[in-house]
Amino acid sequence: PMWSAMVMSFLLQSSSFGVLQAATMDRRIGTTRFQIPAGSISIFEILTFTVWSGCYDSYILPVLRRITGRQRVLTLKQRMGIGVFLAVASMAVASAVETRRREAAARHGTPPLSALWLAPQYVLMGLSGAFGAIAQIEFYYAVLPKSMGSFALALLFFGGGVASIMSTTIVKLVNVVTSKGGGAPWISDDLNQGRYDFYYGLLAVLGAVDLVYLVICANVFHESTQNMTLETGADGEAEEFRG
C-alpha cells in the first residue's frame, strides 16, 4: 500500500517541461552575457536534493530536536507524506509560473520572463525527493526481512518505472481529450499555443488525491517491522524504535 501511494511522487517529479519553458525565457544571469543552458535548469533540483540530504542528519535534525523537544521528530511515513505534499506544491507553483510566462509572452515588446522563475518549482522537487525517496528506502529496509534488502532498493526504481508509464499515458490522454474539436492540445509543441499551466494544475489535483490516499494507507497499514533501528536517546542511551 505504501509503495503504490508513493508512485505519484515520482510521476510529479518527472512531469515538468522546464527545459522547453527555459528555452523560451530569459536565461541571462543579471546584466552579464552568460546564459544558463536550458537543459541545465534542473540544476536547482539536484543542488537542493544534495544539500538537504547531506545536511539533514548532521545539522537540520538536531535543530528540529531542540525545537520540538523530541528525539524522534518525524516518522518515515510522515517524511514520505511530506515528500508527496512538496511534489504537489511544485506542480502548483509550476502552473502559476507558466501562467505568468504565457502572459509575458502575449505582451509584445516586453522582455521575456527570467528563467530563474523556474527555480522555486525545482527546489520543491529537490526537497520532495530528499524527503520521499530517502524515506522510502529506509521504510522498505525497515519493514522487509534483511534477506530482501536488494529487493527494497528495486522497489524504488520499479516505482519510477511505473510512474514513467503513467506519465506517458496521462500525456496522451490529455492531448486526445483537449484536442477534440480541432483545438490545440494542452501539451503542444508550441508552448504559447498549449496550456501547460492547466496540465500542471491537473497533476497538482491528482497529487492531492494521492496524498489523501497515502494518509489512508499510512493509518490502515500497520507494518510488522523486521529490522530494528537504533537511535541514541536524549539521555545518551541507545533506544529502539520501529521503522
Side-chain angles (χ1 to χ4, degrees):
M2 298 300 297
W3 173 85
S4 63
M6 292 301 295
V7 170
M8 181 59 70
S9 65
F10 289 111
L11 188 153
L12 298 180
Q13 293 172 39
S14 63
S15 295
S16 174
F17 291 88
V19 174
L20 297 179
Q21 293 172 278
T24 65
M25 302 171 76
D26 182 7
R27 291 177 278 113
R28 291 176 299 176
I29 301 297
T31 57
T32 64
R33 294 185 178 181
F34 175 77
Q35 291 190 356
I36 303 174
S40 300
I41 196 65
S42 61
I43 188 65
F44 295 104
E45 177 182 2
I46 298 171
L47 288 176
T48 302
F49 181 92
T50 303
V51 172
W52 183 272
S53 301
C55 296
Y56 182 76
D57 289 329
S58 301
Y59 302 102
I60 299 173
L61 192 57
V63 172
L64 294 177
R65 284 172 177 167
R66 286 195 295 269
I67 294 175
T68 61
R70 295 183 300 173
Q71 182 64 19
R72 193 180 184 198
V73 180
L74 295 172
T75 66
L76 295 176
K77 288 180 180 179
Q78 289 171 339
R79 287 165 59 188
M80 292 163 71
I82 292 174
V84 175
F85 173 79
L86 291 172
V88 174
S90 71
M91 289 296 100
V93 171
S95 178
V97 171
E98 174 59 14
T99 299
R100 186 176 179 86
R101 189 205 64 79
R102 282 175 53 85
E103 293 175 351
R107 294 194 297 267
H108 299 289
T110 60
L113 195 67
S114 172
L116 294 179
W117 278 88
L118 298 173
Q121 68 194 57
Y122 279 104
V123 169
L124 289 172
M125 289 180 191
L127 289 174
S128 174
F131 273 100
I134 295 177
Q136 275 191 81
I137 297 176
E138 294 180 6
F139 180 80
Y140 298 148
Y141 273 116
V143 301
L144 293 174
K146 291 183 178 180
S147 60
M148 299 179 67
S150 58
F151 180 70
L153 187 59
L155 277 175
L156 189 72
F157 291 100
F158 181 52
V162 173
S164 296
I165 296 174
M166 291 175 58
S167 178
T168 302
T169 303
I170 290 175
V171 168
K172 289 185 178 296
L173 287 176
V174 166
N175 275 356
V176 168
V177 173
T178 57
S179 61
K180 286 184 177 180
W186 282 2
I187 308 174
S188 172
D189 292 336
D190 187 339
L191 291 178
N192 297 326
Q193 291 294 326
R195 294 309 305 256
Y196 284 76
D197 51 344
F198 289 172
Y199 173 67
Y200 290 143
L202 173 63
L203 291 181
V205 172
L206 294 177
V209 173
D210 179 71
L211 182 59
V212 174
Y213 171 61
L214 174 62
V215 172
I216 294 174
C217 289
N219 284 278
V220 173
F221 175 64
H222 299 286
E223 72 277 10
S224 175
T225 304
Q226 302 288 337
N227 305 315
M228 304 302 290
T229 305
L230 291 175
E231 181 172 312
T232 303
D235 56 357
E237 296 181 356
E239 60 180 12
E240 290 186 341
F241 65 87
R242 292 191 174 274

